[in-house]
Amino acid sequence: MDKFLSADAIRTRFSQAMSAMYQQEVPQYGTLMQLVATVNDRALEADSALRDRLAAADEIDRLSIERHGAIRVGTAAELATLRQLFAVMGMYPVGYYDLSQAGVPVHSTAFRPVDDAALRRNPFRVFTSLLRPELIDDESLREKAAEILAARDIFTPRCRALLALHAQQGGLTDAQAGEFVTEALETFRWHAHSSVDSQTYQALNQQHRLIADVVCFPGCHINHLTPRTLDIDRVQQLMPSRGIDPKTLIEGPPRRRVPILLRQTSFKALEEPIVFRDGHQGTHTARFGEIEQRGVALTPQGRARYDRLLSEAGSGQDNQQHQQHLADIFRDFPDDETTLRQQGLAWFRYRLSEKGLATPPAQGESLETLIAAGRVLAEPQTYEDFLPVSAAGIFQSNLGDRAQIRSAGQASRQTFEAALGCAVLDEMALYEARQQQSLAQCGLRPA
Ligand code: OOG
Ligand code: NI
């Protein structure tokens, strides 16, 4: 059995290789990682409760390796092969995000690990978007884009061969996994040479900047890698001192005692020199930097309340004002673990304390009694997914004003899943299953 390397180990090697590559390609990413590490160390030093909570949930170790990336692809076939590639690393498509509502011509999923042990080991995620070419309204341009996409292969031949080998053998040896990581990385590398002439690029860019980004290059370059911080407000504040210019607003919920879901901010995409096939030179803006702060995952009721309050709050021009306004609006949202749990607003994981191990739950004892007696501990489950409104904000801050598609047409999860070759997993079902499993492990009947 152990002749093969585990999917978790391959994922960790891959995410490290990708981080090293991106650091070379985009030096600001390295700067941002250093800043995040410094702020995280301070936050842990200053807040022993936070440190204890993360330590209890076994999250301290994963903090420094934790990051997510994002890519955009052009065809169903590319998406389907990516599904195989990520599966080798124990990453599966979770959730469906329709971004056309925000004027962006893509729909997306997140490839990520799903089970407890894998998440603890390394929760590396990749937000993956598929272009919706039907939103290119010029017919001849649409055909041209399809032709260009049909002619390219974003995977190396050896990468394809190793995917086939993995399917056939049921795993990869250490040496094969090493080779796989090197080959797979090629798909995500930046190319300073566009695969099209400057005229085609201009025409596609005019339709939508994202269309040019997806269609005009030989690979699906990683467009950002995002480290996880424990204090996003602090990092946002310090970014200019490191020569990094953040976007105006931090996306997502306000700062809270018990952080919920996901808060994100980014720095604007870089204008990078490229050479077209006809030898003309130009620039392309695609790659940027982002940081995130993760909090507890919300149940469907909690999420509905979050969505309602967020849309009530709207958007602002100034971060400080916006954060204050958000904080006021979110005052109605409970901000302590007990209430979040008792009102069924957030997902938790339960385990027996020392005391609980010594005196295990007896039949008829209620969960609340056991928690009050300190025999069962309830720990918030970290949110492992993304937020469509925030993602739209991140996309838009990099696209500028003119990048709105005219009419979105009906986005369809079914079309996306047909392209992917399988159904996306339902994130709520995953959180619920983890909660139920943890109760069962305590010897308690799921609620
Ligand atoms: C993805 C933008 C969304 C996030 O963290 O929500 C995203 C993209 O620009 O391709 O990365
Ligand atoms: Ni992101």
Side-chain angles (χ1 to χ4, degrees):
M1 209 44 248
D2 49 332
K3 107 177 186 246
F4 296 134
L5 205 65
S6 72
D8 287 348
I10 302 179
R11 180 172 67 261
T12 292
R13 277 197 200 177
F14 180 79
S15 75
Q16 276 164 354
M18 189 175 244
S19 178
M21 179 176 83
Y22 202 61
Q23 219 165 311
Q24 276 204 329
E25 291 182 347
V26 180
Q28 286 96 323
Y29 166 64
T31 311
L32 197 57
M33 280 213 304
Q34 275 168 6
L35 177 58
V36 166
T38 308
V39 169
N40 285 358
D41 286 346
R42 294 270 155 76
L44 289 170
E45 259 165 45
D47 187 346
S48 57
L50 174 69
R51 196 180 51 226
D52 293 347
R53 200 167 64 228
L54 288 172
D58 211 358
E59 284 206 1
I60 300 259
D61 285 345
R62 82 172 218 187
L63 198 61
S64 58
I65 53 165
E66 181 160 353
R67 52 181 70 90
H68 83 251
I71 52 172
R72 307 150 181 171
V73 294
T75 67
E78 288 172 354
L79 184 66
T81 305
L82 280 172
R83 171 169 73 90
Q84 292 176 287
L85 183 144
F86 285 126
V88 170
M89 308 179 205
M91 295 159 76
Y92 305 97
V94 180
Y96 172 73
Y97 302 87
D98 170 14
L99 289 156
S100 63
Q101 290 156 348
V104 184
V106 300
H107 44 181
S108 320
T109 190
F111 287 96
R112 67 162 175 88
V114 294
D115 68 53
D116 258 351
L119 285 166
R120 208 170 294 144
R121 181 81 182 269
N122 182 348
F124 183 56
R125 327 165 169 82
V126 179
F127 191 87
T128 303
S129 300
L130 176 65
L131 183 68
R132 294 178 57 209
E134 71 273 21
L135 298 180
I136 303 178
D137 41 35
D138 177 331
E139 197 184 314
S140 67
L141 202 57
R142 191 163 62 232
E143 278 167 15
K144 179 115 196 205
E147 239 170 70
I148 298 167
L149 289 171
R152 77 175 183 184
D153 189 351
I154 61 173
F155 305 97
T156 68
R158 186 65 189 144
C159 178
R160 288 189 178 279
L162 286 163
L163 285 175
L165 188 67
H166 181 275
Q168 184 202 331
Q169 292 181 159
L172 295 177
T173 64
D174 193 296
Q176 290 162 351
E179 209 191 343
F180 175 75
V181 165
T182 306
E183 294 292 329
L185 205 58
E186 288 307 307
T187 297
F188 307 99
R189 185 183 292 286
W190 174 250
H191 296 270
H193 285 83
S194 168
S195 46
V196 306
D197 57 56
S198 49
Q199 242 182 352
T200 307
Y201 177 89
Q202 298 307 349
L204 289 167
N205 202 45
Q206 207 112 53
Q207 272 287 303
H208 198 288
R209 276 168 64 175
L210 215 63
I211 298 174
D213 184 53
V214 173
V215 177
C216 300
F217 295 89
C220 61
H221 41 254
I222 178 93
N223 65 49
H224 64 284
L225 267 183
T226 302
R228 176 177 171 192
T229 177
L230 297 172
D231 188 347
I232 197 168
D233 302 283
R234 188 80 187 125
V235 181
Q236 169 98 352
Q237 207 176 44
L238 288 173
M239 269 153 84
S241 73
R242 307 286 169 110
I244 300 172
D245 181 21
K247 85 191 261 299
T248 312
L249 297 185
I250 297 178
E251 300 284 345
R255 187 182 186 94
R256 321 217 80 211
R257 276 206 308 276
V258 181
I260 53 170
L261 297 172
L262 175 63
R263 301 180 71 207
Q264 291 160 284
T265 185
S266 56
F267 66 76
K268 303 235 170 67
L270 313 167
E271 198 170 308
E272 300 180 272
I274 51 167
V275 181
F276 297 104
R277 266 185 81 156
D278 50 11
H280 284 130
Q281 304 199 351
T283 59
H284 181 66
T285 44
R287 301 189 305 164
F288 60 99
E290 185 193 43
I291 50 168
E292 64 180 22
Q293 180 169 359
R294 292 189 173 264
V296 64
L298 300 183
T299 61
Q301 300 93 285
R303 179 56 187 269
R305 203 185 291 191
Y306 167 78
D307 286 336
R308 184 159 42 77
L309 294 176
L310 190 76
S311 74
E312 211 176 291
S315 184
Q317 301 293 323
D318 170 85
N319 190 47
Q320 220 173 351
Q321 270 172 21
H322 177 61
Q323 294 302 325
Q324 188 50 52
H325 178 57
L326 272 178
D328 291 342
I329 300 263
F330 272 77
R331 199 149 286 155
D332 283 346
F333 202 105
D335 194 14
D336 64 279
E337 287 184 14
T338 306
T339 314
L340 286 168
R341 190 173 55 72
Q342 289 177 342
Q343 294 189 3
L345 295 171
W347 296 113
F348 284 80
R349 212 168 18 197
Y350 299 95
R351 64 186 176 88
L352 297 180
S353 64
E354 298 277 318
K355 225 164 135 187
L357 287 166
T359 320
Q363 220 179 10
E365 282 187 303
S366 80
L367 182 60
E368 290 307 317
T369 320
L370 290 159
I371 291 173
R375 286 158 60 200
V376 168
L377 303 172
E379 285 154 3
Q381 282 191 46
T382 299
Y383 188 57
E384 307 287 355
D385 295 288
F386 293 86
L387 296 168
V389 175
S390 299
I394 303 275
F395 267 111
Q396 285 307 345
S397 84
N398 284 305
L399 293 169
D401 312 328
R402 71 189 169 78
Q404 285 279 334
I405 36 168
R406 256 188 326 111
S407 120
Q410 197 56 52
S412 133
R413 179 184 178 134
Q414 267 164 324
T415 316
F416 186 84
E417 290 180 334
L420 185 65
C422 71
V424 296
L425 297 166
D426 171 9
E427 69 276 17
M428 288 297 178
L430 292 173
Y431 294 116
E432 181 170 23
R434 285 168 83 204
Q435 179 168 298
Q436 305 292 52
Q437 253 164 32
S438 74
L439 283 169
Q441 269 160 14
C442 292
L444 290 160
R445 216 159 352 111

